[in-house]
Amino acid sequence: MSRIGKKPVPVPAGVKVAIQDRTVRVEGPKGKLSFTHVPNVKVTHSEADKALVISLAPGYKAETQGTSAFWGTTRAVLRNMVEGVEKGFEKSLEVVGVGWTASLQGKQLKVVAGYANPILVKIPDALTVTVDKQFIKIAGSDRQAVGQFASALRARRKPEPYNGKGIKYVGETIRRKQGKQFGA
């Protein structure tokens, strides 16, 4: 049995939930999201408790077909959707290096990070990106989209261990290595 899947997902005031077949639509002040879950689980909206209840679909057992994993994953995705349309998610990146900067050019992010040409990255419509000198803040209602864009941007110039230059998450610690020793 999934211990996470058994917990109901509370739906706060101001967030609307609509369930049609296997598609769950969540709407709130920060946006709209939808998710189609696997047939192994069943999602119901309890108006009295103001919560989403995730249970096993009839004919499935928790021990077979990985149903327990789908049960917990569905609950986690729905919780992230409810939290995202209510509060939103945010990731911050830092561009570290002398002369390395980031700026916005319309719907593109321009990053100068030590290459001969600047890196131009298209910003998805669902995300909001703000830049303050070398700090990049990515915000949106979809947790997966925010994390994916931040990860793809970091992968363009990962921080290197000798000087620490690169694009890193704010608060991330880079394990530093000692360079070669010259002289006696």
Side-chain angles (χ1 to χ4, degrees):
M1 302 267 320
S2 173
R3 287 182 278 184
I4 296 292
K6 284 192 255 181
K7 294 181 183 178
V9 177
V11 178
V15 175
K16 297 177 186 173
V17 176
I19 301 172
Q20 183 180 16
D21 296 329
R22 289 186 8 229
T23 303
V24 180
R25 287 179 174 69
V26 181
E27 184 178 342
K30 297 279 185 177
K32 301 176 186 178
L33 295 173
S34 66
F35 173 68
T36 303
H37 59 82
V38 295
N40 299 18
V41 295
K42 178 182 169 189
V43 179
T44 56
H45 184 229
S46 172
E47 292 288 338
D49 299 334
K50 295 185 180 174
L52 288 171
V53 179
I54 298 95
S55 60
L56 288 176
Y60 290 97
K61 295 181 181 176
E63 298 83 26
T64 61
Q65 303 161 345
T67 304
S68 183
F70 288 128
W71 191 4
T73 300
T74 302
R75 191 244 182 230
V77 169
L78 292 175
R79 185 186 79 53
N80 287 337
M81 286 172 56
V82 170
E83 186 178 337
V85 297
E86 183 192 15
K87 300 175 189 170
F89 293 101
E90 159 178 315
K91 291 244 184 207
S92 297
L93 297 166
E94 182 180 3
V95 181
V96 180
V98 176
W100 294 15
T101 60
S103 62
L104 289 173
Q105 286 186 340
K107 289 296 287 177
Q108 288 189 331
L109 179 66
K110 177 183 175 184
V111 180
V112 177
Y115 293 123
N117 297 317
I119 301 168
L120 293 172
V121 182
K122 185 182 180 302
I123 301 170
D125 293 332
L127 301 180
T128 305
V129 176
T130 56
V131 177
D132 181 33
K133 296 182 183 176
Q134 75 268 17
F135 293 100
I136 304 167
K137 187 182 288 186
I138 303 162
S141 60
D142 188 359
R143 184 175 193 166
Q144 190 273 333
V146 170
Q148 180 70 37
F149 185 73
S151 176
L153 189 59
R154 182 183 181 275
R156 296 294 181 111
R157 188 71 180 219
K158 288 185 181 176
E160 52 97 9
Y162 296 102
N163 297 321
K165 297 192 302 187
I167 301 172
K168 67 178 189 115
Y169 294 109
V170 171
E172 178 184 12
T173 55
I174 307 300
R175 286 189 64 185
R176 302 294 292 270
K177 293 182 180 178
Q178 186 175 2
K180 292 182 178 179
Q181 296 290 326
F182 292 103

